[in-house]
């Protein structure tokens, strides 16, 4: 089975091209609804990438991210592009990797003003750890390190809204800095991608190159010169991160492959024991001794998966009854589980793949319930093995 790719999404053609030029032999891949992706490998590596363009805005980014996750079942989704800096400590050209994403337009308007009601998504721990390691290595950028203009990688919050923010003195600009003062950058797509990843159980990383300071200089001559540099820096770091993610996945797969021969040897050993026990039983009948061995075959394949999914549904209901899941999450999870059950028992070639993708989406819905996550993990693995 081909390795899962890393999906890289961008909002602007400038950002798209910065990633595209790092791919070898990209091929067009069209989604059934018309969305166009390009798939290829990072030059000089075996890392597979699926590249897509979302256009501006959280809503569009969420839809395209959802399609990409369903289409490719990626090991991770990276959203790459430019952003504005909220504070002067972040230099133009630096790369910001989101530790968490704020959807800052959530709020409630009251007599004494607008009260912030944000949604927040944290970056996956494993990706953050790997990104931090790459940042320390100082060998990812196209610009030689040691030069004064060499970009730095910064980790912190990114604020994602629904408008282009191009002022430091407007009422909204002051409100953002007051309520989201830990945010390093501001943009318009990260919240949509983060939400799509959360609902589908796909790891998401937001990687932004700083092209302006959200201070009225957007579309100026300086901004037009800074955008390509910022996009190139973000693309360089994202590509390096994608390559390292693929390498880690290969190492994991190799470790699993090493386990298989051991499992085969164990199986043969058990088979020999069973054979010898049978001989012993025959001999025991002559001497009057009694020996018993359970040779009932274990359930495997789709039947085993379906049984596990049915058991999971009962536990899902129990956790809902105990208040661990709210009504909306429960009913959405139940719908996904029923779809996974139908797919697991399906006879078409793509049935196992659909079951695996649906279970990954279900994982995002029950992510706040450790007991359900632990029970779901082997079911996802079993569905993935069949796909």
């Amino acid at each position: 089975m081909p390795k899962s790719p890393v999906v890289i999404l961008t909002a602007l053609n400038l950002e798209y091209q910065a990633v595209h030029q790092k791919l070898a032999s990209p091929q067009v891949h069209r989604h059934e609804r018309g969305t166009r992706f390009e798939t290829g490998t990072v030059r000089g590596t075996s890392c597979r990438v699926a590249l897509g363009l979302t256009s501006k805005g959280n809503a569009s980014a969420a839809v395209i991210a959802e399609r990409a996750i369903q289409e490719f079942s990626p090991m991770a989704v990276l959203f790459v592009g430019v952003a504005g800096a909220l504070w002067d400590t972040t230099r133009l050209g630096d790369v910001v990797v989101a530790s968490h994403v704020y959807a800052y337009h959530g709020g409630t308007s009251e007599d004494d003003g607008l009260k912030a009601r944000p949604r927040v998504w944290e970056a996956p721990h494993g990706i953050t750890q790997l990104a931090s390691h790459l940042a320390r290595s100082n060998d990812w950028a196209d610009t030689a390190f040691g030069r004064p203009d060499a970009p730095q990688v910064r980790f912190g919050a990114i604020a994602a809204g629904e408008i282009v923010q191009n002022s430091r003195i407007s009422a909204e600009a002051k409100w953002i800095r007051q309520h989201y003062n830990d945010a390093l950058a501001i943009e318009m797509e990260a919240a949509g991608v983060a939400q799509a990843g959360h609902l589908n159980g796909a790891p998401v990383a937001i990687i932004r190159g700083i092209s302006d300071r959200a201070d009225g200089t957007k579309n100026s001559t300086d901004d037009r010169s800074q955008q390509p540099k910022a996009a190139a820096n973000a693309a360089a770091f994202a590509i390096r991160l994608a390559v390292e993610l693929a390498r880690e996945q290969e190492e994991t797969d190799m470790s699993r492959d090493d386990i298989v021969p051991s499992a085969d040897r164990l199986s043969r050993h058990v088979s020999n024991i069973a054979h010898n026990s049978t001989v012993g039983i025959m001999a025991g009948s002559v001497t009057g001794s009694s020996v018993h061995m359970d040779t009932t075959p274990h359930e495997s394949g789709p039947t085993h998966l379906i049984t596990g999914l049915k058991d999971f549904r009962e536990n899902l209901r129990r956790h809902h009854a105990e208040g661990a899941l709210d009504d909306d999450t429960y009913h959405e999870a139940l719908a996904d589980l029923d779809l996974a059950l139908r797919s697991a028992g399906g006879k078409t070639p793509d049935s196992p793949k659909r079951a695996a993708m649906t279970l990954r989406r279900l994982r995002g819905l029950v992510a706040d319930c450790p007991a359900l996550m632990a029970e779901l993990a082997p079911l996802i693995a079993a569905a993935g093995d069949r796909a």
Side-chain angles (χ1 to χ4, degrees), residues 86 102-104 106 116-118 175-183:
L86 286 174
Y102 292 125
Y104 70 80
R117 296 289 187 271
W175 185 82
I176 291 171
R177 285 176 172 81
Q178 176 185 358
H179 292 279
Y180 304 95
N181 53 63
D182 63 331

Side-chain angles (χ1 to χ4, degrees), residues 79-149:
F79 199 88
V80 181
V82 301
L86 286 174
W87 309 101
D88 292 337
T89 51
T90 306
R91 305 177 308 169
L92 297 181
D94 282 354
V95 172
V96 174
V97 178
S99 59
H100 50 292
V101 174
Y102 292 125
Y104 70 80
H105 266 127
T108 178
S109 180
E110 300 182 4
D111 290 344
D112 57 347
L114 181 63
K115 305 298 178 63
R117 296 289 187 271
R119 292 202 63 183
V120 184
W121 296 268
E122 288 197 10
H125 176 68
I127 288 184
T128 301
Q129 289 283 295
L130 180 56
S132 297
H133 171 75
L134 295 179
R136 290 191 298 269
S137 70
N138 277 2
D139 63 353
W140 56 268
D142 297 330
T143 303
F145 282 96
R147 289 172 46 179
D149 61 343

Side-chain angles (χ1 to χ4, degrees), residues 161-172:
E162 306 301 332
I163 63 173
V164 176
Q165 185 62 34
N166 193 28
S167 172
R168 285 200 171 184
I169 63 174
S170 68
E172 185 174 57

Side-chain angles (χ1 to χ4, degrees), residues 25-47:
S25 305
Q27 302 291 321
V28 174
H29 180 106
R30 290 184 178 87
H31 185 271
E32 63 181 357
R33 297 299 181 188
T35 303
R36 175 190 175 111
F37 299 94
E38 289 189 83
T39 59
T41 57
V42 176
R43 295 184 186 278
T45 77
S46 60
C47 173

